[in-house]
Amino acid sequence: MRITFIKPGLLTTVQDLGRHGYLSQAVPVSGVMDTLSARLANIAIGNDENAAVLEFTYSGATFRADDDMLIAYSGEGACLSINNKILPSDRPVFIPQNSVVKSTGNALGIRTYLAVAGGWDVPEVLGSRSTYLPAAFGGLQGRAIHAGDVLNACEPSELNLKIFESLVSSKVHHQPWLVGKGLLSKAQRSVIRIMPAAEFRWFSGSSIADLLTEPFTIGLESDRMGYHMEGRKIQRVRHDELLSTAVAPGTIQVTGNGSMILLMADCQTTGGYPRIAQVAAVDLPLCSQLKPGDAVYFEAISRIEAEMLYIEREYLLKEIAASVRAKFL
Amino acid sequence: MLSPLHIYSLNESAVTIKFGDIISEDILAVVTAYDQYLNAKPFQGMTATVPAYASLSVFYDPLKVIESDLVGVDAFERVQQYLSAIKIDNNTASGSKSDIITIPVCYGGDLGPDLNDVAMLHDLSTYEVIKLHTQAICTVYMIGFVPGFAYMGGMNKRLASPRKSTPRKAVPAGAVGIAGEQTGIYPLQTPGGWQLIGQTPLKMFDASRKQPSLLKAGDRVQFKSVSIEEFNQLKGGN
């Protein structure tokens, strides 16, 4: 299965669930920003959850299917359509050879993920297929997708083929069911759950109160490395220098002028700004769909709650994958 | 059980052991000893470690940890118990000095645009700056900032220089710089504010190598002055 890009869109990269083994050499995790959407797109067509997907930023990409294909897409940055007919998301979709697929606007978020049966075939670099643009490695030649680029899928698995066979036809065809994103999504998308981070007590009580009651807005200078959070300035009561130490996606740092930066997938592995909070892993996918100008509130939860939510979600994703498998194998 | 280590949660899949608040060879030796121990004897589910100046962060898959034999109510507690039980004796922590890695550097000129400023700041000749920079045995405290960037201590304190007031938009790969009492090498072209005194022809980071970063925390490094001809020759050989 193969596609050719006609228009690349604003920023389209190949990503998987990230590069986790080289943090000690300051190689960032990278990978998809919205891990939940990417994993569900993979699960829907019987892929390994870590299979490489395409990450679209907003809309504007157009590609041609060079073969009959089994795909699934998920996310909130765009809808995919063929001949102005929107393809349903979060489920397996068969598209016939020579279909031209366009991504059009979906105002809810930024990022959309396209999975293909078998996963996109790009070489593994340092154990991952993720693109890391600042150092130009991974993905398709270490860069974003250009017009004219051709992407092939890896060999499909037995499950991929069973799902493909269930849908194969002369026209677009999809399953009536969808993977249960509703079970995993929060009703209140603008409330992000956080836990206190190591330097939480370095900040004044009134700033902590601001953090937990005031809105913060995503700044214009926000990208895959991190978001500037605009709002009340955060005051410090301890002015020690922090020795650089490990940070991770979801870490909220406070810079010298009292602004907060929320670190995202391409963030540095270490940092020297004091850390006020850490976003709960289960809410990072929500953060990855935030656009400049979006306002959020933060809600404090405990470390134990955050770990329980994480484990609950992992087991739920395992169940969803198992139920897809049970339908076909 | 009373934990002698200061361990805090970084996120749902990582903890940090904090060993102190200062940069010192002694603390580095302890960080390195724990790092080596963990990489030789990882617990079930451990995925990576990140040594820093005075801390070691340990990353793991929480599902694998809670399914392991480790004891505790949650993944954090299990990892905490495992880390707290590690015994590092002082001999291991200080006894294993690594070999000295030589880094060739072409100092001054276009490759080291701030060499004159650094010399003037300290009332030294450029020759003396090069001599002081090449005499010291430096120690890699941490790899951070961008892939393969080594923060090194042990530089002669007479060369300590403040960062540039306006960072450069693009520092070339291989640039050797000074910031405060530290020296370091930019592995990739990035923005940067360190005072640049020279450039190495070596590829400090290469994603296609098995060990992509040339240096790792705990390594000992000595700089060696090379001519522009040698620099070009070595660079051509990469």
Side-chain angles (χ1 to χ4, degrees):
Chain A
M1 295 179 199
R2 193 180 86 161
I3 60 170
T4 302
F5 272 87
I6 298 161
K7 281 163 71 180
L10 189 63
L11 173 66
T12 303
T13 54
V14 178
Q15 303 287 348
D16 60 15
L17 295 180
R19 199 168 268 118
H20 296 272
Y22 294 84
L23 297 174
S24 66
Q25 300 182 40
V27 176
V29 175
S30 307
V32 292
M33 290 274 279
D34 179 351
T35 51
L36 181 60
S37 294
R39 292 169 76 182
L40 287 172
N42 274 327
I43 288 171
I45 50 174
N47 279 352
D48 186 297
E49 289 177 36
N50 191 35
V53 295
L54 278 162
E55 179 177 281
F56 295 116
T57 313
Y58 294 109
S59 57
T62 306
F63 62 87
R64 184 185 65 235
D66 297 325
D67 297 302
D68 283 354
M69 305 192 60
L70 173 65
I71 60 161
Y73 82 99
S74 184
E76 274 116 41
C79 296
L80 297 188
S81 62
I82 296 175
N83 293 329
N84 295 321
K85 215 173 152 228
I86 289 177
L87 303 175
S89 67
D90 300 288
R91 71 188 81 198
V93 179
F94 168 84
I95 56 173
Q97 189 177 22
N98 293 325
S99 300
V100 173
V101 183
K102 283 186 183 177
S103 72
T104 51
N106 171 352
L108 207 53
I110 291 194
R111 295 176 175 90
T112 309
Y113 297 89
L114 175 66
V116 65
W120 298 109
D121 187 14
V122 294
E124 272 195 12
V125 178
L126 305 178
S128 163
R129 293 186 162 93
S130 293
T131 314
Y132 177 55
L133 292 174
F137 62 76
L140 185 70
Q141 299 161 20
R143 60 170 174 81
I145 299 292
H146 297 166
D149 280 342
V150 173
L151 274 179
N152 284 292
C154 299
E155 278 300 303
S157 66
E158 190 193 349
L159 178 56
N160 289 147
L161 289 174
K162 285 263 164 75
I163 301 176
F164 180 82
E165 283 157 15
S166 76
L167 292 169
V168 73
S169 153
S170 58
K171 54 184 191 344
V172 175
H173 193 198
H174 61 78
Q175 289 289 351
W177 49 266
L178 49 77
V179 284
K181 200 170 198 174
L183 295 171
L184 299 153
S185 303
K186 263 181 31 193
Q188 247 192 322
R189 297 172 51 89
S190 61
V191 178
I192 304 296
R193 289 166 289 190
I194 55 172
M195 328 167 238
E199 288 79 47
F200 183 74
R201 290 178 196 285
W202 289 27
F203 302 96
S204 73
S206 65
S207 285
I208 297 298
D210 286 345
L211 174 72
L212 298 175
T213 54
E214 294 290 321
F216 288 87
T217 305
I218 310 301
L220 279 175
E221 280 181 55
S222 296
D223 56 20
R224 285 181 45 90
M225 289 179 78
Y227 296 170
H228 285 261
M229 307 295 296
E230 289 167 0
R232 291 274 175 89
K233 292 288 182 206
I234 303 296
Q235 311 290 337
R236 280 171 71 167
V237 288
R238 265 185 71 179
H239 294 274
D240 309 25
E241 278 280 320
L242 178 69
L243 284 181
S244 280
T245 181
V247 292
T251 300
I252 303 179
Q253 303 177 319
V254 179
T255 65
N257 70 6
S259 304
M260 295 198 296
I261 296 177
L262 165 58
L263 299 179
M264 297 299 288
D266 277 348
C267 72
Q268 295 178 196
T269 54
T270 59
Y273 289 125
R275 300 155 294 179
I276 192 167
Q278 178 75 30
V279 171
V282 289
D283 282 355
L284 263 182
L286 280 179
C287 295
S288 70
Q289 295 293 354
L290 295 172
K291 301 185 294 293
D294 285 349
V296 293
Y297 289 86
F298 293 110
E299 180 192 358
I301 61 170
S302 68
R303 170 186 66 72
I304 295 166
E305 270 178 284
E307 190 185 308
M308 278 171 54
L309 287 166
Y310 173 92
I311 286 169
E312 209 175 286
R313 171 165 298 175
E314 291 304 308
Y315 282 133
L316 204 47
L317 281 165
K318 276 181 198 284
E319 277 178 38
I320 294 171
S323 63
V324 170
R325 207 175 304 124
K327 280 183 205 290
F328 296 95
L329 290 180
Chain B
M1 191 182 102
L2 195 72
S3 165
L5 286 178
H6 178 191
I7 298 171
Y8 64 82
S9 163
L10 179 57
N11 61 19
E12 293 84 340
S13 54
V15 300
T16 298
I17 317 172
K18 187 177 169 185
F19 296 103
D21 289 305
I22 53 159
I23 300 177
S24 84
E25 290 263 349
D26 290 348
I27 292 176
L28 176 72
V30 176
V31 173
T32 307
Y34 271 89
D35 190 31
Q36 285 170 352
Y37 180 96
L38 278 166
N39 282 290
K41 290 182 191 165
F43 54 87
Q44 187 181 320
M46 186 179 115
T47 54
T49 55
V50 178
Y53 289 112
S55 66
L56 180 69
S57 298
V58 184
F59 290 74
Y60 53 86
D61 176 345
L63 289 194
K64 290 200 176 127
V65 171
I66 58 168
E67 286 160 7
S68 74
D69 297 335
L70 295 171
V71 182
V73 295
D74 56 13
F76 173 81
E77 264 197 18
R78 286 163 201 248
V79 171
Q80 189 182 37
Q81 297 280 356
Y82 183 86
L83 297 176
S84 300
I86 295 174
K87 296 272 180 290
I88 301 288
D89 64 67
N90 290 338
N91 295 332
T92 352
S94 59
S96 59
K97 286 251 163 152
S98 60
D99 292 341
I100 294 169
I101 297 163
T102 304
I103 305 279
V105 178
C106 181
Y107 287 93
D110 290 345
L111 299 178
D114 300 326
L115 179 65
N116 285 329
D117 289 356
V118 170
M120 266 164 45
L121 180 72
H122 301 294
D123 213 6
L124 296 166
S125 68
T126 54
Y127 172 77
E128 287 168 312
V129 172
I130 296 168
K131 197 172 152 197
L132 292 173
H133 198 253
T134 51
Q135 271 175 348
I137 309 282
C138 297
T139 306
V140 177
Y141 278 106
M142 182 178 90
I143 308 291
F145 173 48
V146 290
F149 188 102
Y151 291 85
M152 287 177 261
M155 182 181 70
N156 191 303
K157 287 188 170 44
R158 286 176 67 191
L159 296 179
S161 311
R163 285 175 168 79
K164 295 186 78 71
S165 48
T166 315
R168 287 185 170 86
K169 284 213 166 67
V171 172
V176 176
I178 294 176
E181 292 182 4
Q182 296 194 76
T183 186
I185 309 167
Y186 287 85
L188 314 166
Q189 184 183 306
T190 57
W194 292 32
Q195 306 277 354
L196 307 181
I197 59 169
Q199 199 172 318
T200 178
L202 300 184
K203 256 193 172 173
M204 301 307 295
F205 184 87
D206 182 349
S208 67
R209 285 197 300 238
K210 195 170 170 227
Q211 192 63 33
S213 176
L214 198 66
L215 299 175
K216 61 179 190 300
D219 280 350
R220 295 191 301 155
V221 168
Q222 186 166 23
F223 295 99
K224 179 183 160 219
S225 177
V226 298
S227 67
I228 185 73
E229 290 78 18
E230 287 171 281
F231 174 89
N232 286 329
Q233 198 183 356
L234 287 165
K235 194 156 176 134
N238 271 336

